[in-house]
Structure formats: structure tokens, C-alpha cells
Amino acid sequence: MTAPRYDERMPRSNRQRTSRRAVYATLRRKVLTLEFPPGAALSENELAASLGVSRTPVRESLILLSEEGLVQVFPQVGSFVSRVDPAKVADAQFLREAVELASLEDLPGLPAELDPELVDELRRNLEEQRRPGLGLEDFFELDEAFHQTLLRLSGHGSAWATVVSAKGHLDRARRLGLYDTATSSGFAAQHVEILDAVLAGDIPLARTAMRTHLRAVFDDVERIRARSPELFATDSGTVPVRRNIVVWE
Amino acid sequence: MTAPRYDERMPRSNRQRTSRRAVYATLRRKVLTLEFPPGAALSENELAASLGVSRTPVRESLILLSEEGLVQVFPQVGSFVSRVDPAKVADAQFLREAVELASLEDLPGLPAELDPELVDELRRNLEEQRRPGLGLEDFFELDEAFHQTLLRLSGHGSAWATVVSAKGHLDRARRLGLYDTATSSGFAAQHVEILDAVLAGDIPLARTAMRTHLRAVFDDVERIRARSPELFATDSGTVPVRRNIVVWE
DNA sequence: CGACCGATGCTTGTATACCAGTCGTGCCGA
DNA sequence: TCGGCACGACTGGTATACAAGCATCGGTCG
């Protein structure tokens, strides 16, 4: 007959370090940091060669990224980094706001019931955010951790994956413009406001603060768009362009 | 130099009918309808053989399904249909509720501003739902269409993909138990309530009705779980089982 | 009789080969 | 000069081959 395997807990044996995961992480990072700018052609063959792997993990990663909306694949034509589509950015904003605001509703009524470990984590995170001379990348990381931990606090940590997908589009849009530390320090203050409200058990206030915060992030994107409209795709009918075939000599 | 291709609109030339999409749709359907029951082993080779394709599209589909949480892949061990995890079902419920309720908030203040075409579509849909002798599968389809159209009505139709992912887990759980037409006719009535509130411009009422409706769906799942707890995974540490190695003769 | 231990056949992961489709290019003829 | 057509370089989609790990079975040895 059959026999059971793996009784309970295979902590990281599941999340194995596979080539595909590495490639996916690399490609996603390069897309989000604009190292691969919107509209850029992503040849499976080229990527495979430059990453030192075969087409298979590259291809599988591109499929995942296309599901995420960060990449568009045109069969027999090419794969391209998605244009920064304001509609998609707005969708991402809507989704993120819906999830994060709803999670606040599910916080325990009494602040005493909050997981003290997570609360500590949030406090330490906010302290880090206040550290002078903090780099932009560092702030991005802390920001991510803050929002994720907040979700865990309400017991909806698993919804983070959805937020991440949405955040991808937002972050990419934000990086299009200059994004100074002054702005980020403002965000840090908003984070404090949110946590204070949560710890005070004032959920409506927390919601308001969170909404204000997320809208500020979105407005940041809109500001960038107003200043540099050419960076955004105006028509959703994208225009793939076959890359130059450059032959030297 | 380069030359532009595909100026504007490639309506369905993009969503090409590829082997992978067909395989993905088939596998997903079989998982959701429990034709592939929770815990079942899904061998890439077997699936490829039975579907008449190679491992490649099968494998890519399994990767997508695993991202969706419907399948779990254990490297060098096997791929399995995910157990119906109550935690995951609850997560799905949370996500769906968050998105659908938030979308109602963004409905235009005046009912007159609603897209009349979509309103008609909703009305026709509800009429269909009231048709006597409606099969369960048909009702499921109408239900899907109703919720999707409602999202489009508030301009957030693109969030439907997220809801679909969540709905997958919910629907699978619901199918575990008997699900009679009496229940579904109750849901149809709730649909009417929601649409009435929307058309009356009473967004708070619409939200309440929607929340009640979605919770009823979730309670349906909980009811099934109470009656047949053995169908659900009690521990999240899943237990893959290698399929019998059956040798005939 | 029980514990070890290698052979074996499965699994998924990765690499490679081949295919059809989509252009750019340049020859070739009117 | 200009139009047309075929070739070739590229694309992603699919099929196949190979690699590495795990579990079971059956033998052997203590």
C-alpha cells in the first residue's frame, strides 16, 4: 500500500533554494529597481546566458512575473518589462488599501491582547526608521517589514503576499521619480501615528491614519507622474519593440 | 535601428490559445471540482501522458497552481493537491471580503452615474438566478459573473483576478459538502438585496448586505467542516503520501 | 529475528533540441 | 526606382534528455 512521509514540519526543506527561485528573485528585483526599465526587452536566451543558467528557470520566472503583471510575454515576439500603467498602479493601490484597512478591523478590541512580541518588533522597526542617515533602500526595507508585521498583528500575515504583488507596481512607479529622504521621514511619522492608534485600541483612528498614509504614497506616485508624464504609458495598448540587432564590425 | 510593432490593440492575439493555458485551466478545474481530491498525488509525467502533452506545460501549470496555493510541490518527492486548510480558507475569505467591500465604497455617489449596461447585465443575471430548475454548476457560474460585474461597476474589475484566487479555496471547501439548491436560492436573494442597495445609492446598506452574504458563504464552509471534519486538514504540516507503485502481473 | 544497506524506480529540477511564428533584410525583376 | 518575395535571424512554445534526491524493497549480516 502506501506509506506516509514527512510527518509534520519540514521547516525549510520545502522552501528549497532552487535555481528558479534565485532567478525569479533577481529578475523581480531588477524590474522593481528599474535596472530593467519599463519597456525593456527580456530575451529568455540572453537572460539565461547572463545568469549562467538554462532557459528553463528563466522562462518559469518570466511566467510568474507576467502573472504578477510586471512582465508581458508576446509569443513568438518577445518578453518585455511592463510599461508603468497608471491604471495598474491605481489597481494596486486599491487592492493594498482594501487589504490593509480591512486587517485593522480585525485587530483585537483590547490593546492588551496584542502579541507583545510583534508589538516590540514594530517599535524597534520605527526606531530604526528614525535613525539619521538612513538610506532610501534601507527605508524601503523597514517600510515593508512594518506593514507586514502590522498584518501579522491582526492575524492576516498570509495576506502579505497579495500586498507584495500590489506593492510591486507602486514601488516601481515611485522609483521613477526622485524620492528624497524628506518624504520618507514624513512616512515614518505616519507609521508612528498608525502604531500609536493601534496600541491605543482606537481602530477607527488607525484606519484613518493608514488610509492617509497609503494615499500619501499614492499621491507621491501621482506627483511623479505629473512631473514626468513621459515615464508612464498613456495607452494601455502596449507597443512591443523588437530590440536592435546590433552587430559590431 | 528598431521598428515598432503591433500598433495598438492586439485583442486576442495576446491571450493566445497555448497548450499551457489549456492544461492550466483543466488542472485548475479538476482541483476545484474535487476530481483531483485534496492530498492526491499529481505526477508531472502521468499528467503529461494523460493530457497528451509534454511535461513542460504541465510543469508550468503546476507552478502557477502552487503559487495559488491549490497545489504543493515538494522537490524530488512529488506534487500534491493541497489539503483543504481551514486557515487558508479563512485567509481567502478575508481577502475576498476586503476587496469586495472596498469596491462598494468606490461606487459613484449617485446611482444615475452607474454604467447602465453593467446594471442591465446584473439585472439579467439575477433573473437567470431565479430561473427554476437551475443546476448547481450554472448557479456557480452566475454567481461568479454577478460578483465580477459588481466589481466592474465600481471600476475595479481588474481586482477580480485576486478574488478568483481567493474564491478558489472557498469554492473547493464548499464542494466538500452537499450543497443544495435551497441554499443557493438563499444566496440569490442576498444578491438581489445587494444590487437593490447599490441601485438605491445606499452604499452602507450595500456593504452590510455584501458582508452578510459573504459571511453566509463562509459559514456554509464552516457548517460543512463541523459535519465532516475529516475532510479538512487539522494540522497545517501536510503529509505527502507517495502514490502506490502498482505493478500488475 | 532484527537492523543495516545498496539496488531500483520513482520524483522534480535543469539543460538542451526542435518547432512554428514573426519580422528585418536584401536580392531580383519590372 | 520601386515593389515583392524569399531567406535568415530571432522570438517564445514545446518536447525530450539528463541529473540529483528520496523512499521502498529485498538482501545480507550480526
Side-chain angles (χ1 to χ4, degrees), chain B residues 5-22:
Chain B
R5 280 303 102 56
Y6 296 107
D7 42 356
E8 312 260 337
R9 307 296 140 198
M10 29 168 51
R12 288 299 172 270
S13 139
N14 189 10
R15 251 50 178 163
Q16 205 155 335
R17 290 217 299 110
T18 174
S19 180
R20 172 167 66 81
R21 295 193 178 276

Side-chain angles (χ1 to χ4, degrees), chain A residues 3 5-6 42-44 55 59 75-79:
Chain A
R5 277 305 101 56
Y6 297 104
L42 299 176
S43 161
E44 294 183 357
R55 270 185 61 197
R59 173 179 170 74
Q76 328 307 351
V77 176
S79 303

Side-chain angles (χ1 to χ4, degrees), chain A:
Chain A
M1 277 307 183
T2 69
R5 277 305 101 56
Y6 297 104
D7 43 358
E8 314 258 341
R9 306 296 140 199
M10 30 169 53
R12 290 299 171 271
S13 137
N14 190 8
R15 251 49 179 165
Q16 208 157 331
R17 291 220 297 108
T18 175
S19 181
R20 171 167 65 83
R21 294 191 180 278
V23 169
Y24 171 78
T26 301
L27 292 184
R28 188 171 195 276
R29 182 177 50 77
K30 293 196 175 185
V31 168
L32 291 188
T33 62
L34 304 183
E35 185 172 340
F36 288 159
L42 299 176
S43 161
E44 294 183 357
N45 278 311
E46 275 189 21
L47 290 175
S50 76
L51 293 174
V53 295
S54 80
R55 270 185 61 197
T56 307
V58 171
R59 173 179 170 74
E60 291 172 350
S61 298
L62 287 182
I63 291 175
L64 290 177
L65 288 172
S66 83
E67 284 296 310
E68 224 171 317
L70 292 174
V71 162
Q72 261 177 298
V73 177
F74 298 86
Q76 328 307 351
V77 176
S79 303
F80 305 83
V81 179
S82 295
R83 309 295 293 270
V84 177
D85 182 348
K88 263 196 281 189
V89 175
D91 291 340
Q93 168 70 18
F94 165 73
L95 201 65
R96 184 188 185 185
E97 197 174 301
V99 171
E100 298 212 38
L101 288 180
S103 83
L104 293 178
E105 298 273 13
D106 288 349
L107 283 169
L110 297 174
E113 296 172 12
L114 294 171
D115 183 336
E117 199 167 329
L118 293 178
V119 172
D120 273 356
E121 198 175 319
L122 287 167
R123 283 212 173 96
R124 273 183 277 114
N125 182 301
L126 289 186
E127 260 183 60
E128 277 293 307
Q129 290 186 26
R130 240 179 272 119
R131 209 184 54 183
L134 193 69
L136 234 55
E137 295 305 319
D138 296 323
F139 180 78
F140 264 70
E141 227 171 282
L142 288 170
D143 179 83
E144 287 236 342
F146 179 79
H147 285 274
Q148 179 180 18
T149 308
L150 212 50
L151 273 181
R152 291 203 290 152
L153 200 61
S154 63
H156 293 115
S158 55
W160 176 244
T162 304
V163 175
V164 166
S165 281
K167 237 176 91 60
H169 285 88
L170 293 169
D171 290 345
R172 196 165 68 119
R174 286 163 74 185
R175 283 186 200 260
L176 280 178
L178 296 180
Y179 178 66
D180 52 15
T181 49
T183 320
S184 68
S185 83
F187 290 153
Q190 292 176 332
H191 287 161
V192 172
E193 220 174 314
I194 294 169
L195 183 57
D196 282 348
V198 168
L199 294 182
D202 190 342
I203 290 179
L205 180 59
R207 276 178 60 93
T208 303
M210 175 66 88
R211 196 192 302 267
T212 302
H213 172 55
L214 295 179
R215 291 285 167 88
V217 172
F218 187 54
D219 289 344
D220 199 29
V221 172
E222 288 297 304
R223 191 170 49 81
I224 291 166
R225 186 185 171 198
R227 196 170 54 191
S228 310
E230 74 279 4
L231 294 174
F232 291 75
T234 52
D235 51 355
S236 63
T238 60
V239 182
V241 176
R242 178 157 283 193
R243 183 165 60 289
N244 312 2
I245 303 174
V246 182
V247 181
W248 187 50
E249 150 202 70

Side-chain angles (χ1 to χ4, degrees), chain B residues 135-219:
Chain B
L136 235 54
E137 295 305 319
D138 296 324
F139 179 78
F140 264 70
E141 225 171 285
L142 288 170
D143 179 83
E144 288 237 341
F146 178 78
H147 285 274
Q148 179 180 17
T149 307
L150 212 49
L151 274 182
R152 290 204 289 152
L153 200 60
S154 63
H156 293 115
S158 55
W160 176 245
T162 304
V163 174
V164 166
S165 281
K167 235 174 94 59
H169 285 89
L170 293 169
D171 289 345
R172 197 166 66 120
R174 286 164 74 186
R175 282 185 200 259
L176 281 178
L178 297 179
Y179 178 67
D180 52 15
T181 50
T183 321
S184 69
S185 82
F187 290 154
Q190 292 175 333
H191 286 163
V192 172
E193 221 174 313
I194 294 170
L195 184 56
D196 282 348
V198 168
L199 294 182
D202 190 342
I203 290 179
L205 180 60
R207 276 178 59 93
T208 302
M210 174 67 88
R211 195 193 302 268
T212 302
H213 172 55
L214 294 180
R215 291 284 167 90
V217 172
F218 187 54
D219 289 345

